[in-house]
Amino acid sequence: MISVETPRYDAAHVASRRPFVWPAKRDVFGVQITPTTYRQATEAIVEAARRRRPGIVSCYAVHALMELSGSGDLREMANAFDMITPDGQPVRWALNLLHRAGLRDRVYGPELTLRICRRAAELDVPIYLYGGSAEVIDKLQTKLKHRFPQLKVAGAESPPFRALTPEEDEAMVGRVNCSGAGIVFIGLGCPKQDIFAYEHRHRIDAVQVCVGAAFDFHAGNKRQAPAWMQRTGLEWFFRLSQEPGRLWRRYLVTNTAYVVKLARTLARSPSTHKQKRPFHGTGYNTTSSPRPSGERGRG
């Protein structure tokens, strides 16, 4: 299902040409994660969109971090992103332990999605939705427009559950760019959505934000964990209880491996706590991350 509205992007919001920089990143298992807050992440994304500066943002919980840190190609790809938020509490804990980040909360993809939509509605920045089934994308549009009446959904589409042909891909890029959207939310699951965003980094003229299960949650197709479980890092247990057959390995095996890897990293770097001052999100990247030598298909 594809729907595209006539672009209504206000010229007053088009970028000034002042330099724009993203918040600085920190290394966790070889992956560059941004120690950030909801407010800082939201403002950076929407400001980049207002200035028409393309970028890639993703949100990593334990599973994504472990999968990408274990693959040289995927790790290098992720390190070329402009921002990766600590989507899971354990990732936030790692930033605090390894870099004294002082983060009081994670920056969870589904919650970040809502905050971006609220801010985009306030500043008249159109969004585009890419991913999910036709049913999910229809429900999601309806619920977002009900929640944020001023939000401009410039387009939305459910891609086929296969790789796009070159012709389909070219047409999709044309639809996104012609829509006038400043932010493209991508809900394809990790690492598929990350690969998609990376492959289109020089073709999609918007900030691509990879938000994983946010589409299903906000469309009402999946339940979210209670707030207390999210705060205490037990969301994985809730999701495991909902889909044990699909998620048991991801959470039981991967989470255990994560704890072991974090313990070993801390053991190898006992001076980490002393040598870095608390991070308050005021630094910025000044150098570009390396780019992979080859590109991977969407699969």
Side-chain angles (χ1 to χ4, degrees), residues 9 13 37-50 110-127 144 147-153 182-183 185 209:
Y9 199 78
H13 288 162
T37 64
Y38 282 118
R39 180 176 180 179
Q40 291 164 349
T42 299
E43 290 298 327
I45 291 164
V46 177
E47 182 62 18
R50 291 183 71 209
E111 175 65 20
L112 180 63
T113 299
L114 295 180
R115 295 190 185 218
I116 292 171
C117 286
R118 181 181 299 112
R119 189 63 173 150
E122 292 171 352
L123 297 177
D124 200 34
V125 176
I127 69 164
L144 287 178
R147 189 161 188 168
F148 309 107
Q150 302 305 313
L151 179 66
K152 292 182 172 62
V153 180
I183 298 167
F185 289 106
V209 185

Side-chain angles (χ1 to χ4, degrees), residues 48-108:
R50 291 183 71 209
R51 297 192 189 194
R52 307 301 294 176
R53 303 296 176 88
I56 301 176
V57 176
S58 198
C59 308
Y60 283 6
V62 166
H63 175 256
L65 178 58
M66 291 296 287
E67 181 166 356
L68 273 73
S69 68
S71 166
D73 288 344
L74 292 177
R75 182 172 62 248
E76 194 174 5
M77 174 194 73
N79 287 341
F81 291 1
D82 298 284
M83 177 186 291
I84 297 176
T85 74
D87 179 273
Q89 296 289 8
V91 180
R92 174 180 70 89
W93 298 337
L95 285 167
N96 287 345
L97 288 169
L98 295 172
H99 301 290
R100 295 184 65 191
L103 298 176
R104 296 183 178 182
D105 198 3
R106 63 177 176 167
V107 179
Y108 180 46

